[in-house]
């Protein structure tokens, strides 16, 4: 492989990694974090009662 081909392959790899992170991983992680926090609050309210009581 020439240096030019190696650079092109590296750029393609970087683009694929960027697309994977922005299109798949970031939304999945944000949904999981918000859902986990909501579930934690829901369970804690079942155990300790609603706020203000």
């Amino acid at each position: 492989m020439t240096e030019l081909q190696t650079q092109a392959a590296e750029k393609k790899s970087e683009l694929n990694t960027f697309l994977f992170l922005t299109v798949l991983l970031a939304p999945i992680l944000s949904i999981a974090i918000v859902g986990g926090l909501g579930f934690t609050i829901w369970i804690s309210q079942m155990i300790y009662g609603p706020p203000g009581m």
Side-chain angles (χ1 to χ4, degrees):
M1 254 182 158
T2 66
E3 185 175 335
L4 195 57
Q5 289 173 328
T6 305
Q7 287 177 350
E10 186 176 326
K11 284 188 181 228
K12 184 176 181 182
S13 174
E14 288 178 3
L15 178 63
N16 287 340
T17 303
F18 172 75
L19 289 175
F20 171 75
L21 289 173
T22 56
V23 172
L24 291 176
L25 195 60
I28 290 171
L29 280 177
S30 64
I31 290 170
I33 290 169
V34 171
L37 180 61
F39 184 76
T40 303
I41 292 170
W42 177 54
I43 293 296
S44 70
Q45 286 182 355
M46 286 176 57
I47 295 170
Y48 301 115
M53 289 193 74

